[in-house]
C-alpha cells in the first residue's frame, strides 16, 4: 500500500463534491477556509453543481472531477466537501490505473466510503477517513479533530489512535491481531455487496460506523455482513461512532447491545466506542494501512 506524500503549506489542495451538493456560498466559504490555512485551492466543478436536489452533478461529471484532480501533478491532496448520497454513480467511470500511478492524499467519510474501498483495493492507496471541508472544518473544526487529522497525515512509521478526552476505548471481545484496516460507513459497505466494489475483509481489520439509522436497520445490515462472510473473513473489528442511531421501541437495547449479541461468539478482537465517524470531535483513520489491535492494552496502532 502506498502512503501518500505529506502536505506542505503552499501546496495545492483540490476540493471535490463526490456526493450531495452544497450551496455556492458554502463552496466559496470552503475555498476561502482552506486558502486561509495556507494552501492553494482548486475547486472541482461539481462543488458548484446540483441535480435532483441530492446529487452534486452526474456520475460522469463527478468522475471527471476526481480523475482530473488525481492526474494534475500540481495537486497534492484531494479533500471531499461533504458526504450525503450518489458517490456510487461514478464508480465505473474512475480511471483506477491512472489514480494508482498518481497517489496523493484523499480525505472524506460517510458516502465517500465507496471511494475509500475502491482506492484501497484497486489502487493500493492509503486513504483517510477524516474531516470534510463543509461538514467539519467550516463550523466544527475543534482542536482534537484538527490535531488527529494532522498527526495522521504527517505520521512517520507509526500512529496510535486516540479518542477525545473522557471517551474510553472499550473492548467487546479479547484478542491480539493485526491486518490492513478497511471499511467505513456500514450502509455503504452493505450496499456494494455483490458488486465488484464490495469490500474485501479477508485477513483484514474491519472498521464500521453509521448515522441516523434505527437499531433495527443496523441489525439487518450486520446480518448481511455476517451472511456474506465479511465478519468471519476479518481478523478484527473496530466499531466507530453510530451517531443518532436509536431504538425507539426499547431504549435499553441500543447499538452496543446489538453488536454484543451478534459478535458474542466472534473469537477475534472487537473494540468499540471509537470516536470516528459522524461525531464531533472525530479521530482520523488511515484506511489501507496496517492496523494492530491489542485489547489487553486497549491499543489501536497503525504502522507503515
Amino acid at each position: 500500500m502506498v502512503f501518500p506524500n505529506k502536505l506542505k503549506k503552499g501546496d495545492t489542495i483540490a476540493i471535490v463534491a463526490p456526493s450531495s451538493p452544497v450551496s455556492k456560498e458554502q463552496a466559496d466559504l470552503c475555498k476561502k477556509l482552506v486558502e486561509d490555512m495556507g494552501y492553494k485551492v482548486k475547486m472541482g466543478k461539481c462543488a458548484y453543481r446540483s441535480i435532483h436536489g441530492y446529487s452534486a452533478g452526474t456520475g460522469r461529471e463527478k468522475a471527471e472531477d476526481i480523475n482530473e484532480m488525481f492526474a494534475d501533478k500540481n495537486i497534492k491532496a484531494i479533500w471531499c466537501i461533504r458526504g450525503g448520497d450518489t458517490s456510487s454513480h461514478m464508480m465505473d467511470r474512475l480511471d483506477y490505473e491512472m489514480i494508482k500511478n498518481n497517489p496523493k492524499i484523499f480525505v472524506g467519510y460517510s458516502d465517500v466510503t465507496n471511494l475509500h474501498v475502491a482506492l484501497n483495493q484497486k489502487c493500493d492507496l492509503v486513504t483517510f477517513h477524516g474531516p470534510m471541508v463543509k461538514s467539519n472544518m467550516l463550523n466544527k473544526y475543534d482542536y482534537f479533530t484538527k490535531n488527529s487529522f494532522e498527526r495522521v497525515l504527517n505520521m512517520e512509521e507509526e500512529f496510535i489512535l486516540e479518542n477525545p478526552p473522557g471517551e474510553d476505548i472499550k473492548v467487546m471481545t479479547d484478542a491480539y491481531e493485526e491486518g490492513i484496516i478497511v471499511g467505513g460507513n456500514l450502509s455503504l459497505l452493505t450496499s456494494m455487496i455483490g458488486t465488484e466494489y464490495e469490500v474485501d475483509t479477508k485477513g483484514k481489520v474491519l472498521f464500521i460506523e453509521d448515522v441516523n439509522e434505527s437499531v433495527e436497520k443496523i441489525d439487518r445490515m450486520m446480518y448481511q455482513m455476517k451472511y456474506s462472510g465479511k465478519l468471519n473473513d476479518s481478523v478484527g473489528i473496530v466499531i466507530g461512532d453510530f451517531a443518532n442511531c436509536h431504538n425507539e421501541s426499547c431504549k435499553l437495547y441500543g447499538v452496543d447491545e446489538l453488536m454484543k449479541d451478534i459478535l458474542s461468539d466472534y473469537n477475534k478482537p472487537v473494540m468499540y466506542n471509537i470516536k470516528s465517524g459522524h461525531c464531533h470531535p472525530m479521530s482520523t483513520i488511515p484506511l489501507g494501512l496496517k492496523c494492530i489491535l491489542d485489547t489487553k492494552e486497549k491499543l489501536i496502532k497503525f504502522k507503515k
Side-chain angles (χ1 to χ4, degrees):
M1 300 294 288
V2 175
F3 194 98
N5 293 331
K6 297 177 182 179
L7 265 180
K8 304 186 300 295
K9 296 295 183 181
D11 283 344
T12 300
I13 294 174
I15 297 178
V16 298
S19 302
S20 293
V22 301
S23 67
K24 180 183 185 303
E25 292 74 20
Q26 289 172 329
D28 288 340
L29 286 172
C30 288
K31 180 176 185 292
K32 183 179 185 304
L33 176 73
V34 178
E35 288 174 340
D36 289 345
M37 292 178 182
Y39 303 105
K40 299 172 185 175
V41 176
K42 182 173 182 178
M43 298 294 287
K45 294 182 292 295
C46 290
Y48 295 98
R49 289 274 289 134
S50 178
I51 60 172
H52 314 313
Y54 63 88
S55 184
T58 65
R60 182 185 299 277
E61 290 169 334
K62 291 191 283 189
E64 287 174 353
D65 268 0
I66 299 291
N67 288 334
E68 177 185 344
M69 301 311 185
F70 270 103
D72 189 334
K73 301 296 185 182
N74 294 317
I75 291 173
K76 305 302 180 185
I78 301 170
W79 292 0
C80 294
I81 200 164
R82 63 161 295 185
D85 300 286
T86 69
S87 66
S88 57
H89 294 186
M90 76 175 84
M91 304 306 295
D92 59 343
R93 300 180 185 277
L94 294 174
D95 187 341
Y96 294 107
E97 188 62 29
M98 180 276 295
I99 293 172
K100 184 175 184 178
N101 292 327
N102 293 275
K104 55 192 65 177
I105 294 167
F106 181 84
V107 186
Y109 65 98
S110 191
D111 191 56
V112 182
T113 293
N114 286 329
L115 292 164
H116 285 307
V117 172
L119 298 182
N120 290 165
Q121 295 178 181
K122 293 178 176 289
C123 305
D124 299 324
L125 178 64
V126 174
T127 60
F128 301 91
H129 183 274
M132 295 185 286
V133 188
K134 186 263 180 182
S135 303
N136 304 87
M137 298 179 183
L138 193 57
N139 297 312
K140 301 178 181 178
Y141 206 29
D142 59 275
Y143 174 79
F144 179 88
T145 301
K146 182 175 184 290
N147 186 55
S148 177
F149 181 47
E150 292 179 349
R151 285 175 58 221
V152 173
L153 292 187
N154 294 300
M155 68 177 284
E156 296 298 337
E157 293 306 309
E158 64 180 39
F159 169 77
I160 295 175
L161 184 72
E162 294 179 354
N163 256 1
E167 294 285 356
D168 294 333
I169 292 175
K170 299 180 181 180
V171 174
M172 195 170 291
T173 62
D174 276 306
Y176 176 100
E177 277 292 353
E178 56 185 63
I180 298 295
I181 189 166
V182 297
N185 184 266
L186 180 61
S187 299
L188 273 294
L189 295 174
T190 56
S191 73
M192 284 296 176
I193 290 175
T195 76
E196 67 173 283
Y197 309 107
E198 72 177 307
V199 66
D200 177 8
T201 65
K202 292 178 182 176
K204 298 174 182 177
V205 173
L206 173 63
F207 165 69
I208 54 173
E209 61 85 29
D210 219 316
V211 64
N212 296 334
E213 296 287 358
S214 67
V215 170
E216 301 96 300
K217 288 185 179 179
I218 295 169
D219 186 316
R220 183 198 67 216
M221 289 187 281
M222 285 300 295
Y223 271 88
Q224 187 176 3
M225 295 292 282
K226 178 178 180 177
Y227 293 143
S228 62
K230 301 305 178 185
L231 302 184
N232 283 339
D233 284 349
S234 68
V235 298
I237 298 175
V238 173
I239 301 174
D241 194 73
F242 277 71
N244 195 35
C245 294
H246 304 300
N247 183 348
E248 297 300 333
S249 302
C250 178
K251 304 292 186 182
L252 298 178
Y253 192 83
V255 175
D256 289 350
E257 290 73 25
L258 170 67
M259 293 296 182
K260 288 173 184 176
D261 281 350
I262 294 174
L263 300 169
S264 60
D265 58 352
Y266 185 82
N267 297 315
K268 302 168 189 177
V270 178
M271 301 176 80
Y272 69 109
N273 197 45
I274 311 305
K275 293 303 174 181
S276 185
H278 295 74
C279 53
H280 305 276
M282 74 173 290
S283 299
T284 295
I285 292 179
L287 297 169
L289 206 58
K290 181 179 180 181
C291 178
I292 296 169
L293 301 182
D294 185 342
T295 59
K296 183 178 180 181
E297 300 295 329
K298 294 186 177 180
L299 179 72
I300 300 175
K301 181 164 66 175
F302 303 100
K303 297 187 70 173
K304 288 184 179 179

